[in-house]
């Protein structure tokens, strides 16, 4: 357990106070204009003893929204709201990254009165969470010109995050959202420069990484990935080759870390030969963040076994703002319950 509480050096720019990270947790608590609130600032500040906080997923432009009241980082008012959050975290000695998000085909015109855009015209079946009356639409496939604009919008969102006082950004390339939709055959049916081969299917993700690195520096950039399709997507054995290529390319780039996006790391995937975390560890040379239903004890065991370097904690941090202190002292944790989502504590 002591290893978890030791400082951890990511790079020349960032050293974390410990190996814990706060996983991005969508709470749908932004105010009018999708502006972060004072309540959100207090919520994050109470957890500032965690080595690195990853903010709730934050939309890069209006058509990236897929859930009610999720914060943005594209307007002056949103940037000002986030400054209150980052200022509160820094005042308590913490570090915080903004997670940059576009949901792609998981959006709905209800939120932005515009077309739903995605790699291909393949709808996700089902309804919008928290708004079950909204059925997912068939998206329009992005043009290559629109993809280029999205790359620029991601880079601008990263610059906005630094302006808002964040210590860096995490690119949300996981969990079946826009970037992940390009990386999986179930959602990418393209035959142009962004589909059909591992090189083409990886292109958008790499262009986003390169654009953000050029704008704010790779030392301040993390990337969340889901090589195993388990939510919002169906898996395909051909996806393995896409991620093999993507990770080879990422090994040639400067990143703060790669973060596995999964709810339960005990899941195994035939085409990955087991757990997604083990697949990433075997192929990515940089710092790896594990997550997916780990306790402090099981995380310590995994880190000692060199399965990953840091651990992202999610729902236990919703239930226990004082998570780190309780773990240090060996105190019992308050169990998480869905009812806790109704308020920021």
């Amino acid at each position: 357990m002591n290893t978890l509480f030791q400082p951890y050096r990511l790079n020349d720019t960032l050293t974390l106070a410990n190996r814990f990270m706060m996983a991005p947790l969508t709470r749908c608590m932004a105010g009018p204009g999708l502006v972060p609130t004072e309540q959100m600032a207090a919520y994050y500040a109470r957890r500032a003893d965690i080595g690195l906080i990853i903010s709730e997923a934050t939309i890069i432009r209006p058509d990236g929204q897929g859930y009610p009241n999720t914060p943005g980082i594209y307007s002056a008012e949103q940037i000002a709201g986030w400054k209150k959050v980052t200022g509160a975290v820094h005042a308590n000695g913490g570090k915080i990254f903004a997670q940059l998000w576009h949901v792609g085909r998981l959006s709905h015109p209800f939120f932005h009165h515009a077309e739903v855009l995605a790699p291909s015209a393949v709808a996700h079946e089902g309804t919008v969470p928290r708004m079950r009356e909204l059925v997912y639409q068939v998206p329009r496939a992005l043009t290559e010109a629109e993809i280029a604009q999205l790359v620029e919008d991601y880079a601008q969102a990263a610059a906005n995050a630094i302006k808002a006082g964040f210590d860096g950004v995490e690119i949300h390339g996981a969990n079946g959202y826009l970037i992940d939709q390009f990386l999986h055959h179930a959602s990418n049916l393209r035959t142009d420069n962004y589909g059909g081969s591992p090189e083409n299917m990886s292109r958008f993700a790499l262009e986003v990484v390169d654009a953000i690195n050029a704008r704010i520096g790779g030392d301040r950039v993390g990337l969340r990935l889901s090589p195993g399709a388990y939510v919002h997507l169906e898996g395909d054995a051909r996806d393995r080759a896409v991620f093999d290529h993507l990770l080879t390319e990422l090994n040639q780039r400067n990143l703060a870390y790669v973060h596995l996006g999964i709810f339960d790391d005990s899941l195994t995937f035939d085409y990955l030969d087991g757990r997604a975390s083990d697949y990433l560890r075997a192929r990515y040379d940089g710092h790896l963040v594990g997550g997916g239903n780990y306790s402090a004890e099981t995380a310590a065991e995994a880190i000692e076994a060199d399965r990953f370097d840091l651990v992202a904690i999610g729902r236990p941090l919703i239930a226990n703002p004082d998570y780190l202190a309780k773990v240090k002292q060996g105190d019992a944790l308050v169990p998480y319950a869905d009812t806790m989502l109704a308020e920021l504590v």
Side-chain angles (χ1 to χ4, degrees):
M1 289 286 285
N2 285 340
T3 301
L4 289 171
F5 294 97
Q6 299 303 311
Y8 188 81
R9 183 179 180 275
L10 283 174
N11 47 50
D12 290 343
T13 303
L14 291 166
T15 296
L16 311 182
N18 51 68
R19 294 196 189 216
F20 289 99
M21 289 171 53
M22 179 175 173
L25 298 160
T26 296
R27 302 301 304 275
C28 300
M29 292 284 189
L34 306 185
V35 173
T37 64
E38 296 279 2
Q39 190 181 21
M40 288 168 58
Y43 164 79
Y44 284 113
R46 281 192 287 270
R47 293 157 174 83
D49 56 352
I50 295 294
L52 179 61
I53 294 171
I54 309 301
S55 81
E56 61 207 279
T58 301
I59 57 178
I60 64 165
R61 66 186 206 184
D63 65 1
Q65 185 177 0
Y67 300 76
N69 303 317
T70 50
I73 196 157
Y74 53 83
S75 75
E77 294 79 12
Q78 291 162 357
I79 293 169
W82 279 119
K83 282 183 178 179
K84 296 177 182 177
V85 174
T86 60
V89 169
H90 292 151
N92 282 3
K95 291 183 171 67
I96 182 169
F97 273 26
Q99 191 188 60
L100 304 182
W101 194 30
H102 191 298
V103 304
R105 69 177 184 169
L106 295 173
S107 187
H108 194 281
F110 172 86
F111 297 115
H112 44 72
H113 309 293
E115 291 179 288
V116 176
L117 301 174
S120 300
V122 181
H124 177 62
E125 293 185 7
T127 58
V128 175
R130 306 189 189 212
M131 303 185 78
R132 296 296 181 185
E133 71 279 10
L134 300 179
V135 177
Y136 287 117
Q137 309 289 296
V138 177
R140 178 174 64 76
L142 288 152
T143 67
E144 291 199 14
E146 288 170 330
I147 291 172
Q149 183 59 56
L150 272 163
V151 172
E152 171 56 28
D153 292 338
Y154 270 101
Q156 184 59 53
N160 291 349
I162 299 303
K163 184 177 180 180
F166 284 99
D167 298 287
V169 302
E170 178 176 287
I171 303 165
H172 199 342
N175 305 124
Y177 297 117
L178 179 62
I179 292 174
D180 203 28
Q181 290 161 24
F182 276 89
L183 298 171
H184 291 273
H185 284 271
S187 50
N188 186 345
L189 308 182
R190 302 178 73 97
T191 57
D192 62 1
N193 289 319
Y194 292 90
S197 69
E199 293 79 7
N200 287 348
M201 292 173 69
S202 300
R203 190 182 308 278
F204 179 56
L206 293 169
E207 287 179 347
V208 171
V209 168
D210 290 344
I212 291 177
N213 281 10
R215 191 70 64 93
I216 69 170
D219 281 3
R220 297 187 181 276
V221 181
L223 174 63
R224 195 174 208 218
L225 293 174
S226 295
Y230 72 103
V231 62
H232 302 139
L233 284 172
E234 295 296 325
D236 187 304
R238 295 173 295 172
D239 295 347
R240 165 70 175 264
V242 179
F243 282 89
D244 284 352
H245 175 78
L246 176 64
L247 292 165
T248 298
E249 289 294 319
L250 291 175
N251 282 332
Q252 301 173 43
R253 288 161 167 81
N254 182 29
L255 284 175
Y257 61 81
V258 164
H259 177 187
L260 172 64
I262 200 164
F263 297 148
D264 185 349
D265 194 28
S266 68
L267 292 174
T268 58
F269 303 87
D270 290 345
Y271 59 90
L272 300 180
D273 300 323
R275 290 181 293 200
S277 56
D278 294 334
Y279 167 79
L280 286 175
R281 189 54 145 182
R283 284 157 187 82
Y284 181 61
D285 297 338
H287 304 289
L288 181 62
V289 181
N293 208 26
Y294 283 94
S295 67
E297 292 77 13
T298 58
E301 292 169 1
I303 289 172
E304 287 297 325
D306 197 34
R307 292 190 49 239
F308 46 78
D309 303 300
L310 304 106
V311 63
I313 302 295
R315 290 177 171 181
L317 267 168
I318 292 177
N320 300 269
D322 53 351
Y323 175 87
L324 208 64
K326 285 181 176 177
V327 170
K328 277 184 179 178
Q329 296 162 15
D331 293 344
L333 297 174
V334 175
Y336 168 82
D338 287 343
T339 54
M340 294 174 179
L341 291 176
E343 57 184 64
L344 291 176
V345 176

